[in-house]
Amino acid sequence: MPIPLAFLVLPLLLHRTTLDLIISTQKRSGLTLFAAKLGEDREDLLAVHNRALVLRTLTLRSIGFAVNAGLATITYSNATLRANTPTQKMRKPFIPERIKGFSGAAEKVGCWFKLMNLTQISSTLRVDF
């Protein structure tokens, strides 16, 4: 995915109301329907951009951690981030019950992002890169 999209994942997942909307929106419904549901309260939709700004340091550190741990690779020539397939040496981490919904929600957001280009995502979520 283009690296700028990585800066939207935490603002979407770490906000309880937004996370609940992601979980309740079917994968096949797409980002547009999710944004429409989020935009029912216009302040919630506009807050995604502000949360992205607040969380950019955490996102950048998270990307760095993932790359250093071998979980992700950055392709500098086209500024993309790719998740790596875990190796046999990497043991599966224990995931506490309270955060188990995050992986499914993150996968759903990734599927939605895959179907649109950066400009469409930016326009749909009212964010600026």
Side-chain angles (χ1 to χ4, degrees), residues 8-31 33-35 37-38 48 51 101-113 125:
L8 294 178
V9 176
L10 293 181
L12 292 173
L13 298 182
L14 295 181
H15 183 257
R16 185 81 239 174
T17 303
T18 308
L19 176 63
D20 290 343
L21 278 175
I22 292 169
I23 292 169
S24 70
T25 305
Q26 294 184 14
K27 190 185 292 187
R28 66 179 180 267
S29 297
L31 186 66
L33 182 62
F34 162 73
K37 288 167 75 173
L38 187 62
V48 173
R51 287 196 307 269
F102 284 84
S103 62
E107 181 181 337
K108 195 180 291 185
V109 169
C111 289
W112 293 341
F113 285 177
L125 292 178

mmCIF file of all heavy atoms in Angstrom, residues 8-31 33-35 37-38 48 51 101-113 125:
data_model
loop_
_atom_site.group_PDB
_atom_site.id
_atom_site.type_symbol
_atom_site.label_atom_id
_atom_site.label_comp_id
_atom_site.label_asym_id
_atom_site.label_seq_id
_atom_site.Cartn_x
_atom_site.Cartn_y
_atom_site.Cartn_z
ATOM 1 N N LEU A 8 -3.478 6.299 8.173
ATOM 2 C CA LEU A 8 -4.916 6.314 8.449
ATOM 3 C C LEU A 8 -5.371 5.121 9.280
ATOM 4 O O LEU A 8 -6.451 5.150 9.862
ATOM 5 C CB LEU A 8 -5.706 6.327 7.132
ATOM 6 C CG LEU A 8 -5.558 7.569 6.278
ATOM 7 C CD1 LEU A 8 -6.350 7.419 4.986
ATOM 8 C CD2 LEU A 8 -6.008 8.797 7.037
ATOM 9 N N VAL A 9 -4.549 4.092 9.356
ATOM 10 C CA VAL A 9 -4.964 2.864 10.034
ATOM 11 C C VAL A 9 -5.190 3.097 11.531
ATOM 12 O O VAL A 9 -6.257 2.782 12.055
ATOM 13 C CB VAL A 9 -3.950 1.728 9.792
ATOM 14 C CG1 VAL A 9 -4.335 0.484 10.578
ATOM 15 C CG2 VAL A 9 -3.867 1.411 8.299
ATOM 16 N N LEU A 10 -4.208 3.637 12.229
ATOM 17 C CA LEU A 10 -4.376 3.858 13.672
ATOM 18 C C LEU A 10 -5.502 4.843 13.996
ATOM 19 O O LEU A 10 -6.287 4.577 14.911
ATOM 20 C CB LEU A 10 -3.055 4.307 14.314
ATOM 21 C CG LEU A 10 -1.947 3.259 14.337
ATOM 22 C CD1 LEU A 10 -0.700 3.819 15.008
ATOM 23 C CD2 LEU A 10 -2.394 1.978 14.992
ATOM 24 N N PRO A 11 -5.624 5.955 13.267
ATOM 25 C CA PRO A 11 -6.747 6.856 13.570
ATOM 26 C C PRO A 11 -8.118 6.194 13.385
ATOM 27 O O PRO A 11 -9.079 6.556 14.065
ATOM 28 C CB PRO A 11 -6.572 8.004 12.573
ATOM 29 C CG PRO A 11 -5.137 7.993 12.248
ATOM 30 C CD PRO A 11 -4.715 6.555 12.297
ATOM 31 N N LEU A 12 -8.206 5.226 12.504
ATOM 32 C CA LEU A 12 -9.477 4.529 12.309
ATOM 33 C C LEU A 12 -9.692 3.455 13.373
ATOM 34 O O LEU A 12 -10.799 3.294 13.888
ATOM 35 C CB LEU A 12 -9.528 3.898 10.921
ATOM 36 C CG LEU A 12 -9.607 4.874 9.749
ATOM 37 C CD1 LEU A 12 -9.480 4.125 8.426
ATOM 38 C CD2 LEU A 12 -10.876 5.693 9.786
ATOM 39 N N LEU A 13 -8.634 2.723 13.722
ATOM 40 C CA LEU A 13 -8.786 1.592 14.630
ATOM 41 C C LEU A 13 -8.733 1.960 16.108
ATOM 42 O O LEU A 13 -9.305 1.268 16.938
ATOM 43 C CB LEU A 13 -7.717 0.534 14.347
ATOM 44 C CG LEU A 13 -7.754 -0.105 12.967
ATOM 45 C CD1 LEU A 13 -6.673 -1.164 12.859
ATOM 46 C CD2 LEU A 13 -9.099 -0.703 12.658
ATOM 47 N N LEU A 14 -8.034 3.032 16.456
ATOM 48 C CA LEU A 14 -7.869 3.366 17.867
ATOM 49 C C LEU A 14 -8.941 4.312 18.400
ATOM 50 O O LEU A 14 -8.796 4.847 19.495
ATOM 51 C CB LEU A 14 -6.473 3.962 18.115
ATOM 52 C CG LEU A 14 -5.307 3.021 17.874
ATOM 53 C CD1 LEU A 14 -3.986 3.717 18.174
ATOM 54 C CD2 LEU A 14 -5.444 1.742 18.678
ATOM 55 N N HIS A 15 -9.986 4.501 17.653
ATOM 56 C CA HIS A 15 -11.122 5.316 18.091
ATOM 57 C C HIS A 15 -12.326 4.378 18.177
ATOM 58 O O HIS A 15 -12.744 3.789 17.177
ATOM 59 C CB HIS A 15 -11.362 6.448 17.083
ATOM 60 C CG HIS A 15 -12.447 7.376 17.483
ATOM 61 N ND1 HIS A 15 -13.689 7.316 16.916
ATOM 62 C CD2 HIS A 15 -12.480 8.379 18.404
ATOM 63 C CE1 HIS A 15 -14.451 8.256 17.452
ATOM 64 N NE2 HIS A 15 -13.744 8.903 18.363
ATOM 65 N N ARG A 16 -12.855 4.202 19.380
ATOM 66 C CA ARG A 16 -13.866 3.174 19.625
ATOM 67 C C ARG A 16 -15.082 3.291 18.703
ATOM 68 O O ARG A 16 -15.542 2.306 18.133
ATOM 69 C CB ARG A 16 -14.335 3.256 21.086
ATOM 70 C CG ARG A 16 -15.293 2.148 21.466
ATOM 71 C CD ARG A 16 -14.513 0.914 21.777
ATOM 72 N NE ARG A 16 -14.895 -0.175 20.902
ATOM 73 C CZ ARG A 16 -14.286 -1.347 20.877
ATOM 74 N NH1 ARG A 16 -13.256 -1.579 21.625
ATOM 75 N NH2 ARG A 16 -14.682 -2.299 20.096
ATOM 76 N N THR A 17 -15.617 4.488 18.531
ATOM 77 C CA THR A 17 -16.799 4.668 17.680
ATOM 78 C C THR A 17 -16.495 4.274 16.243
ATOM 79 O O THR A 17 -17.279 3.580 15.591
ATOM 80 C CB THR A 17 -17.281 6.135 17.725
ATOM 81 O OG1 THR A 17 -17.540 6.493 19.074
ATOM 82 C CG2 THR A 17 -18.525 6.339 16.885
ATOM 83 N N THR A 18 -15.335 4.703 15.761
ATOM 84 C CA THR A 18 -14.944 4.391 14.387
ATOM 85 C C THR A 18 -14.687 2.898 14.234
ATOM 86 O O THR A 18 -15.112 2.286 13.250
ATOM 87 C CB THR A 18 -13.694 5.206 13.992
ATOM 88 O OG1 THR A 18 -13.944 6.585 14.269
ATOM 89 C CG2 THR A 18 -13.372 5.052 12.529
ATOM 90 N N LEU A 19 -14.001 2.304 15.197
ATOM 91 C CA LEU A 19 -13.740 0.864 15.154
ATOM 92 C C LEU A 19 -15.047 0.081 15.132
ATOM 93 O O LEU A 19 -15.200 -0.863 14.340
ATOM 94 C CB LEU A 19 -12.891 0.442 16.357
ATOM 95 C CG LEU A 19 -12.612 -1.055 16.492
ATOM 96 C CD1 LEU A 19 -11.808 -1.573 15.306
ATOM 97 C CD2 LEU A 19 -11.895 -1.341 17.804
ATOM 98 N N ASP A 20 -15.998 0.470 15.952
ATOM 99 C CA ASP A 20 -17.296 -0.218 15.973
ATOM 100 C C ASP A 20 -18.007 -0.114 14.622
ATOM 101 O O ASP A 20 -18.630 -1.074 14.166
ATOM 102 C CB ASP A 20 -18.192 0.346 17.072
ATOM 103 C CG ASP A 20 -17.708 -0.025 18.470
ATOM 104 O OD1 ASP A 20 -16.887 -0.965 18.599
ATOM 105 O OD2 ASP A 20 -18.132 0.639 19.435
ATOM 106 N N LEU A 21 -17.882 1.039 13.965
ATOM 107 C CA LEU A 21 -18.485 1.191 12.631
ATOM 108 C C LEU A 21 -17.788 0.320 11.598
ATOM 109 O O LEU A 21 -18.429 -0.245 10.715
ATOM 110 C CB LEU A 21 -18.442 2.653 12.186
ATOM 111 C CG LEU A 21 -19.545 3.550 12.730
ATOM 112 C CD1 LEU A 21 -19.321 4.994 12.303
ATOM 113 C CD2 LEU A 21 -20.908 3.073 12.276
ATOM 114 N N ILE A 22 -16.462 0.205 11.703
ATOM 115 C CA ILE A 22 -15.721 -0.665 10.780
ATOM 116 C C ILE A 22 -16.184 -2.103 10.967
ATOM 117 O O ILE A 22 -16.476 -2.806 9.996
ATOM 118 C CB ILE A 22 -14.203 -0.545 11.008
ATOM 119 C CG1 ILE A 22 -13.700 0.826 10.594
ATOM 120 C CG2 ILE A 22 -13.451 -1.644 10.240
ATOM 121 C CD1 ILE A 22 -12.269 1.128 11.023
ATOM 122 N N ILE A 23 -16.247 -2.528 12.216
ATOM 123 C CA ILE A 23 -16.654 -3.909 12.517
ATOM 124 C C ILE A 23 -18.079 -4.182 12.030
ATOM 125 O O ILE A 23 -18.357 -5.254 11.498
ATOM 126 C CB ILE A 23 -16.508 -4.187 14.032
ATOM 127 C CG1 ILE A 23 -15.016 -4.200 14.407
ATOM 128 C CG2 ILE A 23 -17.187 -5.490 14.424
ATOM 129 C CD1 ILE A 23 -14.741 -4.212 15.901
ATOM 130 N N SER A 24 -18.968 -3.202 12.159
ATOM 131 C CA SER A 24 -20.366 -3.408 11.771
ATOM 132 C C SER A 24 -20.611 -3.238 10.274
ATOM 133 O O SER A 24 -21.698 -3.575 9.793
ATOM 134 C CB SER A 24 -21.279 -2.463 12.554
ATOM 135 O OG SER A 24 -21.091 -1.123 12.135
ATOM 136 N N THR A 25 -19.632 -2.728 9.533
ATOM 137 C CA THR A 25 -19.777 -2.556 8.085
ATOM 138 C C THR A 25 -19.202 -3.779 7.391
ATOM 139 O O THR A 25 -18.068 -4.178 7.672
ATOM 140 C CB THR A 25 -19.046 -1.291 7.602
ATOM 141 O OG1 THR A 25 -19.519 -0.161 8.337
ATOM 142 C CG2 THR A 25 -19.274 -1.053 6.115
ATOM 143 N N GLN A 26 -19.958 -4.366 6.499
ATOM 144 C CA GLN A 26 -19.482 -5.555 5.805
ATOM 145 C C GLN A 26 -18.350 -5.203 4.848
ATOM 146 O O GLN A 26 -18.314 -4.111 4.285
ATOM 147 C CB GLN A 26 -20.622 -6.218 5.045
ATOM 148 C CG GLN A 26 -21.684 -6.777 5.965
ATOM 149 C CD GLN A 26 -22.753 -7.518 5.208
ATOM 150 O OE1 GLN A 26 -22.600 -7.846 4.032
ATOM 151 N NE2 GLN A 26 -23.855 -7.799 5.878
ATOM 152 N N LYS A 27 -17.444 -6.157 4.670
ATOM 153 C CA LYS A 27 -16.285 -5.940 3.811
ATOM 154 C C LYS A 27 -16.709 -5.551 2.392
ATOM 155 O O LYS A 27 -16.155 -4.649 1.785
ATOM 156 C CB LYS A 27 -15.423 -7.197 3.764
ATOM 157 C CG LYS A 27 -14.074 -6.989 3.090
ATOM 158 C CD LYS A 27 -13.266 -8.271 2.949
ATOM 159 C CE LYS A 27 -12.814 -8.778 4.282
ATOM 160 N NZ LYS A 27 -11.887 -9.936 4.146
ATOM 161 N N ARG A 28 -17.734 -6.200 1.890
ATOM 162 C CA ARG A 28 -18.162 -5.937 0.512
ATOM 163 C C ARG A 28 -18.871 -4.586 0.355
ATOM 164 O O ARG A 28 -19.073 -4.112 -0.749
ATOM 165 C CB ARG A 28 -19.026 -7.068 -0.007
ATOM 166 C CG ARG A 28 -20.355 -7.220 0.677
ATOM 167 C CD ARG A 28 -21.160 -8.373 0.069
ATOM 168 N NE ARG A 28 -22.432 -8.511 0.715
ATOM 169 C CZ ARG A 28 -22.678 -9.316 1.740
ATOM 170 N NH1 ARG A 28 -21.714 -10.061 2.235
ATOM 171 N NH2 ARG A 28 -23.881 -9.385 2.277
ATOM 172 N N SER A 29 -19.252 -3.953 1.473
ATOM 173 C CA SER A 29 -19.915 -2.647 1.415
ATOM 174 C C SER A 29 -18.956 -1.545 0.983
ATOM 175 O O SER A 29 -19.371 -0.575 0.360
ATOM 176 C CB SER A 29 -20.518 -2.297 2.771
ATOM 177 O OG SER A 29 -21.505 -3.232 3.117
ATOM 178 N N GLY A 30 -17.710 -1.668 1.351
ATOM 179 C CA GLY A 30 -16.695 -0.733 0.883
ATOM 180 C C GLY A 30 -16.521 0.506 1.746
ATOM 181 O O GLY A 30 -17.297 0.792 2.659
ATOM 182 N N LEU A 31 -15.464 1.228 1.418
ATOM 183 C CA LEU A 31 -15.091 2.425 2.159
ATOM 184 C C LEU A 31 -16.143 3.527 2.036
ATOM 185 O O LEU A 31 -16.384 4.266 2.985
ATOM 186 C CB LEU A 31 -13.726 2.938 1.668
ATOM 187 C CG LEU A 31 -13.123 4.093 2.436
ATOM 188 C CD1 LEU A 31 -12.763 3.654 3.859
ATOM 189 C CD2 LEU A 31 -11.884 4.623 1.732
ATOM 190 N N LEU A 33 -19.457 3.334 1.817
ATOM 191 C CA LEU A 33 -20.567 3.132 2.751
ATOM 192 C C LEU A 33 -20.110 3.368 4.185
ATOM 193 O O LEU A 33 -20.819 3.980 4.976
ATOM 194 C CB LEU A 33 -21.164 1.741 2.607
ATOM 195 C CG LEU A 33 -22.355 1.462 3.521
ATOM 196 C CD1 LEU A 33 -23.507 2.413 3.221
ATOM 197 C CD2 LEU A 33 -22.823 0.038 3.385
ATOM 198 N N PHE A 34 -18.897 2.897 4.513
ATOM 199 C CA PHE A 34 -18.364 3.147 5.858
ATOM 200 C C PHE A 34 -18.275 4.651 6.114
ATOM 201 O O PHE A 34 -18.700 5.133 7.166
ATOM 202 C CB PHE A 34 -16.987 2.494 6.015
ATOM 203 C CG PHE A 34 -16.205 3.052 7.160
ATOM 204 C CD1 PHE A 34 -16.554 2.746 8.471
ATOM 205 C CD2 PHE A 34 -15.146 3.925 6.944
ATOM 206 C CE1 PHE A 34 -15.848 3.284 9.538
ATOM 207 C CE2 PHE A 34 -14.442 4.462 7.995
ATOM 208 C CZ PHE A 34 -14.793 4.143 9.305
ATOM 209 N N ALA A 35 -17.737 5.405 5.163
ATOM 210 C CA ALA A 35 -17.599 6.858 5.323
ATOM 211 C C ALA A 35 -18.967 7.524 5.443
ATOM 212 O O ALA A 35 -19.132 8.483 6.200
ATOM 213 C CB ALA A 35 -16.810 7.454 4.166
ATOM 214 N N LYS A 37 -21.641 6.143 6.774
ATOM 215 C CA LYS A 37 -22.100 5.844 8.136
ATOM 216 C C LYS A 37 -21.366 6.727 9.147
ATOM 217 O O LYS A 37 -21.978 7.276 10.055
ATOM 218 C CB LYS A 37 -21.869 4.366 8.461
ATOM 219 C CG LYS A 37 -22.822 3.438 7.728
ATOM 220 C CD LYS A 37 -22.394 1.995 7.805
ATOM 221 C CE LYS A 37 -22.632 1.347 9.133
ATOM 222 N NZ LYS A 37 -22.343 -0.123 9.108
ATOM 223 N N LEU A 38 -20.056 6.864 8.958
ATOM 224 C CA LEU A 38 -19.266 7.701 9.854
ATOM 225 C C LEU A 38 -19.680 9.159 9.721
ATOM 226 O O LEU A 38 -19.725 9.899 10.700
ATOM 227 C CB LEU A 38 -17.772 7.531 9.550
ATOM 228 C CG LEU A 38 -16.790 8.208 10.496
ATOM 229 C CD1 LEU A 38 -16.919 7.653 11.909
ATOM 230 C CD2 LEU A 38 -15.361 8.005 9.995
ATOM 231 N N VAL A 48 -11.195 12.251 11.660
ATOM 232 C CA VAL A 48 -10.196 11.282 11.197
ATOM 233 C C VAL A 48 -8.906 12.005 10.823
ATOM 234 O O VAL A 48 -7.807 11.565 11.187
ATOM 235 C CB VAL A 48 -10.736 10.450 10.006
ATOM 236 C CG1 VAL A 48 -9.649 9.558 9.419
ATOM 237 C CG2 VAL A 48 -11.934 9.617 10.448
ATOM 238 N N ARG A 51 -7.103 13.151 13.997
ATOM 239 C CA ARG A 51 -6.492 12.011 14.693
ATOM 240 C C ARG A 51 -5.266 11.520 13.944
ATOM 241 O O ARG A 51 -4.271 11.111 14.562
ATOM 242 C CB ARG A 51 -7.507 10.882 14.874
ATOM 243 C CG ARG A 51 -8.555 11.176 15.920
ATOM 244 C CD ARG A 51 -9.304 9.934 16.371
ATOM 245 N NE ARG A 51 -9.885 9.139 15.311
ATOM 246 C CZ ARG A 51 -11.128 9.292 14.846
ATOM 247 N NH1 ARG A 51 -11.910 10.232 15.341
ATOM 248 N NH2 ARG A 51 -11.577 8.511 13.899
ATOM 249 N N GLY A 101 -10.475 -7.941 17.948
ATOM 250 C CA GLY A 101 -11.245 -7.379 16.838
ATOM 251 C C GLY A 101 -10.429 -6.471 15.925
ATOM 252 O O GLY A 101 -10.833 -6.189 14.800
ATOM 253 N N PHE A 102 -9.278 -6.042 16.399
ATOM 254 C CA PHE A 102 -8.462 -5.117 15.624
ATOM 255 C C PHE A 102 -7.938 -5.733 14.328
ATOM 256 O O PHE A 102 -7.917 -5.073 13.302
ATOM 257 C CB PHE A 102 -7.273 -4.606 16.452
ATOM 258 C CG PHE A 102 -7.639 -3.571 17.459
ATOM 259 C CD1 PHE A 102 -8.128 -3.928 18.699
ATOM 260 C CD2 PHE A 102 -7.494 -2.225 17.178
ATOM 261 C CE1 PHE A 102 -8.470 -2.981 19.637
ATOM 262 C CE2 PHE A 102 -7.841 -1.266 18.107
ATOM 263 C CZ PHE A 102 -8.327 -1.646 19.341
ATOM 264 N N SER A 103 -7.511 -6.989 14.381
ATOM 265 C CA SER A 103 -6.920 -7.593 13.175
ATOM 266 C C SER A 103 -7.955 -7.730 12.065
ATOM 267 O O SER A 103 -7.668 -7.438 10.902
ATOM 268 C CB SER A 103 -6.268 -8.932 13.488
ATOM 269 O OG SER A 103 -7.217 -9.861 13.957
ATOM 270 N N GLY A 104 -9.157 -8.149 12.410
ATOM 271 C CA GLY A 104 -10.214 -8.245 11.398
ATOM 272 C C GLY A 104 -10.590 -6.889 10.840
ATOM 273 O O GLY A 104 -10.806 -6.738 9.629
ATOM 274 N N ALA A 105 -10.647 -5.883 11.707
ATOM 275 C CA ALA A 105 -10.967 -4.524 11.256
ATOM 276 C C ALA A 105 -9.851 -3.978 10.371
ATOM 277 O O ALA A 105 -10.120 -3.344 9.352
ATOM 278 C CB ALA A 105 -11.195 -3.610 12.456
ATOM 279 N N ALA A 106 -8.607 -4.237 10.747
ATOM 280 C CA ALA A 106 -7.469 -3.765 9.936
ATOM 281 C C ALA A 106 -7.482 -4.429 8.565
ATOM 282 O O ALA A 106 -7.223 -3.779 7.544
ATOM 283 C CB ALA A 106 -6.160 -4.047 10.658
ATOM 284 N N GLU A 107 -7.805 -5.713 8.534
ATOM 285 C CA GLU A 107 -7.882 -6.418 7.253
ATOM 286 C C GLU A 107 -8.995 -5.830 6.377
ATOM 287 O O GLU A 107 -8.830 -5.641 5.172
ATOM 288 C CB GLU A 107 -8.131 -7.904 7.486
ATOM 289 C CG GLU A 107 -8.192 -8.703 6.202
ATOM 290 C CD GLU A 107 -8.463 -10.181 6.448
ATOM 291 O OE1 GLU A 107 -8.179 -10.669 7.552
ATOM 292 O OE2 GLU A 107 -8.966 -10.828 5.516
ATOM 293 N N LYS A 108 -10.113 -5.518 6.998
ATOM 294 C CA LYS A 108 -11.247 -4.935 6.267
ATOM 295 C C LYS A 108 -10.863 -3.578 5.672
ATOM 296 O O LYS A 108 -11.139 -3.303 4.497
ATOM 297 C CB LYS A 108 -12.439 -4.788 7.205
ATOM 298 C CG LYS A 108 -13.750 -4.532 6.522
ATOM 299 C CD LYS A 108 -14.883 -4.409 7.530
ATOM 300 C CE LYS A 108 -15.201 -5.711 8.204
ATOM 301 N NZ LYS A 108 -16.396 -5.625 9.098
ATOM 302 N N VAL A 109 -10.207 -2.739 6.470
ATOM 303 C CA VAL A 109 -9.767 -1.424 5.990
ATOM 304 C C VAL A 109 -8.789 -1.603 4.828
ATOM 305 O O VAL A 109 -8.867 -0.896 3.824
ATOM 306 C CB VAL A 109 -9.136 -0.594 7.134
ATOM 307 C CG1 VAL A 109 -8.439 0.639 6.610
ATOM 308 C CG2 VAL A 109 -10.208 -0.209 8.151
ATOM 309 N N GLY A 110 -7.884 -2.567 4.949
ATOM 310 C CA GLY A 110 -6.937 -2.845 3.864
ATOM 311 C C GLY A 110 -7.636 -3.247 2.576
ATOM 312 O O GLY A 110 -7.262 -2.802 1.489
ATOM 313 N N CYS A 111 -8.662 -4.064 2.695
ATOM 314 C CA CYS A 111 -9.432 -4.469 1.508
ATOM 315 C C CYS A 111 -10.136 -3.267 0.877
ATOM 316 O O CYS A 111 -10.177 -3.134 -0.347
ATOM 317 C CB CYS A 111 -10.451 -5.542 1.873
ATOM 318 S SG CYS A 111 -9.713 -7.131 2.234
ATOM 319 N N TRP A 112 -10.674 -2.400 1.715
ATOM 320 C CA TRP A 112 -11.340 -1.202 1.194
ATOM 321 C C TRP A 112 -10.332 -0.294 0.494
ATOM 322 O O TRP A 112 -10.607 0.236 -0.576
ATOM 323 C CB TRP A 112 -12.018 -0.434 2.311
ATOM 324 C CG TRP A 112 -13.182 -1.129 2.950
ATOM 325 C CD1 TRP A 112 -13.917 -2.169 2.430
ATOM 326 C CD2 TRP A 112 -13.751 -0.846 4.221
ATOM 327 N NE1 TRP A 112 -14.900 -2.535 3.304
ATOM 328 C CE2 TRP A 112 -14.827 -1.747 4.413
ATOM 329 C CE3 TRP A 112 -13.473 0.076 5.214
ATOM 330 C CZ2 TRP A 112 -15.611 -1.738 5.556
ATOM 331 C CZ3 TRP A 112 -14.248 0.090 6.363
ATOM 332 C CH2 TRP A 112 -15.303 -0.811 6.527
ATOM 333 N N PHE A 113 -9.170 -0.108 1.099
ATOM 334 C CA PHE A 113 -8.140 0.745 0.510
ATOM 335 C C PHE A 113 -7.652 0.185 -0.829
ATOM 336 O O PHE A 113 -7.341 0.934 -1.744
ATOM 337 C CB PHE A 113 -6.949 0.904 1.455
ATOM 338 C CG PHE A 113 -7.185 1.832 2.622
ATOM 339 C CD1 PHE A 113 -6.196 1.999 3.575
ATOM 340 C CD2 PHE A 113 -8.363 2.531 2.775
ATOM 341 C CE1 PHE A 113 -6.377 2.855 4.653
ATOM 342 C CE2 PHE A 113 -8.576 3.388 3.852
ATOM 343 C CZ PHE A 113 -7.567 3.549 4.793
ATOM 344 N N LEU A 125 -12.630 9.993 2.847
ATOM 345 C CA LEU A 125 -12.445 10.144 4.285
ATOM 346 C C LEU A 125 -12.182 11.584 4.706
ATOM 347 O O LEU A 125 -11.965 11.852 5.891
ATOM 348 C CB LEU A 125 -11.298 9.235 4.771
ATOM 349 C CG LEU A 125 -11.576 7.743 4.700
ATOM 350 C CD1 LEU A 125 -10.351 6.955 5.151
ATOM 351 C CD2 LEU A 125 -12.786 7.368 5.548
#
